[in-house]
């Protein structure tokens, strides 16, 4: 199990250190992937408009500019509230998945507490669907929440689960997803393939965080890469297409270089400098006529 003290939140995203006594030195896999531009403007506007339209205070505020401004200001943060709530839910679901693996491995676990946390938030269906998937696919866990490192390119991350399914070695990333109007779990973003291939290309895995000891990565030799979408109505595993892995790896490598350039840009100094007006032109004085 990884030590969370290895991951640090910095001005340049989440970064990893080699031990709990060292400063962070490489970006996380997700930080590298986040260098790709994402246009969320439409989603933010939609969330704000929806929050405003569904606010029971809207009718009362009609015709009152001050109250309308207050409602609009509150609605403008709807996307951030939704994002934060989804992140907290994802943490609870991931914690439950980890505890299931630890129990199956005969290690100390907090599975009952993790399930109770989901139940307390009305999210127990995620656990129920995960349990069904776990039994149906006869998952044999090898290592949950394992931290990996690539020195050559310079990045680190934590894989949700290394396991065997149907006799095949699998690297697995869990994604907590909502449910669409048809009752099906929503589709995963294809960026999960970059995340999985970066994990596969790791060179080392963590042994002891305090001591800063690592060992050669033992699970990168032709594993099946699985993104597993966990919803309240179903769990849908999707395999990364082996035919496209190299392109997603190339893209990840390019984004890693972008992250480096962002640091260089930040260290280079001011990008824009003030320009003063030009000095007044000096007119030549003509000699007086004699």
């Amino acid at each position: 199990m990884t030590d969370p003290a290895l991951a640090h939140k910095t001005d340049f995203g989440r970064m990893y250190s080699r031990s709990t006594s060292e400063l962070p030195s490489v970006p996380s896999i997700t930080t590298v992937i986040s260098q790709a531009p994402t246009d969320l403007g439409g989603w933010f506007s939609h969330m704000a408009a929806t929050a405003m339209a569904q606010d029971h205070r809207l009718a009362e505020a009609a015709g009152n500019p001050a109250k309308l401004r207050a409602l609009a200001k509150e609605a403008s943060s709807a996307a951030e509230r939704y994002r934060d709530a989804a992140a907290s839910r994802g943490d609870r679901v991931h914690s439950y998945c980890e505890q299931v693996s630890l129990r199956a491995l005969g290690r100390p676990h907090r599975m009952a507490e993790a399930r109770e946390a989901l139940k307390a938030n009305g999210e127990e269906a995620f656990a129920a669907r995960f349990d069904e998937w776990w039994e149906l696919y006869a998952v044999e866990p090898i290592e949950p929440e394992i931290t990996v490192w690539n020195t050559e390119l310079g990045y680190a991350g934590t894989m949700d689960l290394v396991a065997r399914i149907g006799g095949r070695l699998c690297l697995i990333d869990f994604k907590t997803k909502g449910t669409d109007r048809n009752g099906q779990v929503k589709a995963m973003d294809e960026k999960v393939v970059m995340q999985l291939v970066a994990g596969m290309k790791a060179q080392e895995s963590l042994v002891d965080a305090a001591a800063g000891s690592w060992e050669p990565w033992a699970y990168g030799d032709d594993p099946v890469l699985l993104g597993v979408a966990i919803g309240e109505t179903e769990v849908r595993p999707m395999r990364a297409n082996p035919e496209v892995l190299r392109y997603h790896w190339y893209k990840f490598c390019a984004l890693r270089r972008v992250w480096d350039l962002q640091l260089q840009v930040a260290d280079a100094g001011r990008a824009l400098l003030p320009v003063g007006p030009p000095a007044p032109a000096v007119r030549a004085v003509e000699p007086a006529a004699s």
Side-chain angles (χ1 to χ4, degrees):
M1 179 180 172
T2 182
D3 189 321
L6 288 184
H8 311 264
K9 189 174 182 180
T10 74
D11 291 340
F12 297 99
R14 189 166 294 277
M15 296 181 65
Y16 277 77
S17 58
R18 290 289 288 181
S19 75
T20 55
S21 62
E22 294 186 19
L23 293 173
S25 57
V26 298
S28 70
I29 291 172
T30 52
T31 292
V32 171
I33 293 172
S34 72
Q35 303 307 300
T38 303
D39 183 11
L40 294 176
W43 179 73
F44 274 78
S45 299
H46 168 74
M47 293 297 295
T50 300
M52 186 80 168
Q54 294 177 349
D55 196 312
H56 68 278
R57 298 167 295 175
L58 182 59
E60 179 187 347
N64 187 321
K67 287 186 177 181
L68 282 173
R69 284 195 297 271
L71 287 184
K73 183 177 180 180
E74 186 176 331
S76 66
S77 62
E80 287 82 358
R81 294 196 301 272
Y82 179 89
R83 178 198 60 201
D84 293 344
S88 296
R89 182 188 66 186
D91 288 343
R92 289 189 289 271
V93 172
H94 274 71
S95 177
Y96 180 77
C97 298
E98 179 187 4
Q99 301 311 311
V100 169
S101 297
L102 292 173
R103 186 187 67 164
L105 290 165
R107 300 180 189 174
H109 63 86
R110 296 175 290 100
M111 182 174 162
E113 294 92 327
R115 190 169 189 123
E116 186 59 34
L118 289 170
K119 183 178 180 181
N121 286 275
E123 300 161 346
E124 195 173 13
F126 289 98
R129 301 292 83 73
F130 181 80
D131 290 345
E132 293 167 359
W133 171 79
W134 186 272
E135 294 297 325
L136 180 63
Y137 279 73
V139 181
E140 302 172 34
I142 297 172
E143 195 63 56
E145 294 293 318
I146 184 168
T147 298
V148 297
W149 194 284
N150 182 305
T151 300
E152 185 176 356
L153 191 58
Y155 66 86
T158 301
M159 305 300 296
D160 288 340
L161 180 63
V162 180
R164 279 193 189 281
I165 300 177
R168 289 293 307 273
L169 177 68
C170 300
L171 300 185
I172 299 172
D173 190 84
F174 297 122
K175 298 296 184 188
T176 305
K177 304 297 292 184
T179 303
D180 65 20
R181 295 178 181 177
N182 298 318
Q184 296 179 325
V185 66
K186 292 181 179 179
M188 287 179 288
D189 193 308
E190 290 188 355
K191 286 185 289 189
V192 70
V193 177
M194 268 198 291
Q195 197 168 347
L196 288 163
V197 76
M200 181 184 72
K201 292 284 190 178
Q203 297 170 320
E204 297 174 282
S205 60
L206 180 66
V207 176
D208 187 300
S213 57
W214 300 73
E215 64 184 6
W217 177 228
Y219 307 114
D221 186 14
D222 193 31
V224 176
L225 304 183
L226 290 179
V228 178
I230 305 171
E232 295 179 283
T233 57
E234 64 174 337
V235 171
R236 183 180 298 176
M238 301 290 287
R239 181 186 183 185
N241 180 0
E243 298 300 319
V244 305
L245 290 185
R246 63 184 182 275
Y247 301 110
H248 289 265
W249 172 242
Y250 298 157
K251 182 176 180 179
F252 181 83
C253 293
L255 291 173
R256 177 60 182 81
R257 290 193 289 272
V258 170
W259 185 86
D260 266 339
L261 287 171
Q262 295 281 28
L263 263 66
Q264 293 172 25
V265 167
D267 290 340
R270 297 174 63 181
L272 294 170
L273 299 175
V275 178
V282 178
R283 294 184 178 180
V285 179
E286 297 183 3
S290 56

